[in-house]
Amino acid sequence: MHATARIRAREDGRGGTSLPVLESDGPLALRRTRGDQGEARVMLVGAMSGPLGGDRFAVEASVERGARLRLGSAAATIALPGQLKDEARYDVRIDVADGGELHWLPEPLISAKGSDLHVTTRVDLAPGARLVLREEQVLGRAGEEPGRLRSRLVVRVGGRVTLDQELACGPGAPGGWDGPAVLAGRRAVGQLVVVRPEFAERPVSARVLADSATLVPLAGPAALVTAVAKDGLRLRRVLDEALNFLA
């Protein structure tokens, strides 16, 4: 199955944010919820199981000048094996104009045994844009070995690459992914990217935030928190604390 959901946020001239494009597709259903303080809020609701083997899903979000959008999901996304043995793909493409702001805060992605998923998130920000982006990946359900998961996150600010990183886990991944230099036996991994114009003049300081989480400044007005944890609940707690620290 191929499906693409599209969102466009625009400042409405009255201090709020309108959504001239809110386009669901197949299993990717978008629902606007109540926002506040000029912010539009949208939830991504999975109308079917997946992605399954061979599926091609995409979410495209565009935030125009002065608009504010908070985008989340109603439940975890579970990558499952399908009748086709091909890999599934899930692509997220984000563009934020100068003066725009986006919070991309989905629920975790769970890699179930036998699945094969490639996730790519690409973010293009104007120099004066703001971003809060959280990614959480859980390797296997309770008591289950993970499927194959490859994820790539690319963030550009003003056309320049601020972050470009890739992680591969599960069967067929390069050796050592579960070793002490990477996950060290933990089954949940996540990251938090915060981009704010003021970080260009006052960058954050690198530090350890928890036993298994670090905060580092990135090139440009950005900061990255990387964390691993025993499970998704502990991972969310660490990332929430990191976001409160950066607030």
Side-chain angles (χ1 to χ4, degrees):
M1 177 177 290
H2 291 211
T4 300
R6 296 181 175 88
I7 309 157
R8 179 178 299 165
R10 177 178 297 166
E11 202 275 325
D12 64 5
R14 302 186 301 274
T17 298
S18 64
L19 299 172
V21 176
L22 190 64
E23 184 178 307
S24 302
D25 188 14
L28 302 176
L30 298 172
R31 300 289 183 265
R32 182 165 188 173
T33 61
R34 181 174 296 180
D36 57 11
Q37 298 179 349
E39 177 185 77
R41 296 189 179 186
V42 175
M43 297 296 291
L44 180 63
V45 180
M48 297 170 58
S49 298
L52 307 176
D55 285 348
R56 300 290 186 269
F57 292 173
V59 176
E60 299 177 355
S62 176
V63 180
E64 299 182 6
R65 177 186 290 269
R68 298 174 59 210
L69 174 64
R70 181 179 293 262
L71 179 59
S73 59
T77 297
I78 304 178
L80 296 166
Q83 292 183 346
L84 296 178
K85 298 304 180 182
D86 297 342
E87 74 169 8
R89 293 192 64 94
Y90 200 129
D91 297 320
V92 178
R93 297 184 286 271
I94 293 170
D95 290 280
V96 185
D98 193 52
E101 182 173 347
L102 173 68
H103 289 225
W104 170 236
L105 302 169
E107 293 302 304
L109 167 65
I110 300 173
S111 175
K113 183 178 181 179
S115 63
D116 186 356
L117 178 63
H118 191 176
V119 182
T120 302
T121 301
R122 298 183 183 274
V123 183
D124 284 285
L125 306 171
R130 294 175 175 270
L131 172 75
V132 175
L133 181 150
R134 183 186 69 214
E135 285 192 343
E136 298 169 315
Q137 295 155 358
V138 179
L139 306 180
R141 293 168 290 192
E144 177 185 68
E145 291 299 312
R148 187 180 185 188
L149 176 63
R150 282 152 294 172
S151 64
R152 184 180 181 190
L153 172 60
V154 181
V155 179
R156 297 184 180 89
V157 180
R160 295 186 175 183
V161 175
T162 294
L163 176 67
D164 189 343
Q165 68 178 26
E166 189 167 356
L167 177 66
C169 303
W177 66 270
D178 199 24
V182 187
L183 298 185
R186 296 175 175 89
R187 283 295 180 265
V189 57
Q191 52 209 343
L192 179 71
V193 181
V194 179
V195 180
R196 293 175 181 159
E198 53 267 30
F199 285 170
E201 298 296 330
R202 300 185 302 276
V204 300
S205 299
R207 64 183 66 199
V208 176
L209 295 178
D211 177 56
S212 56
T214 60
L215 166 66
V216 295
L218 298 176
L224 170 67
V225 176
T226 302
V228 295
K230 182 179 178 181
D231 54 43
L233 181 62
R234 290 178 175 86
L235 178 66
R236 173 65 61 84
R237 186 179 300 123
V238 170
L239 294 179
D240 282 349
E241 290 174 356
L243 185 55
N244 290 334
F245 176 81
L246 290 168

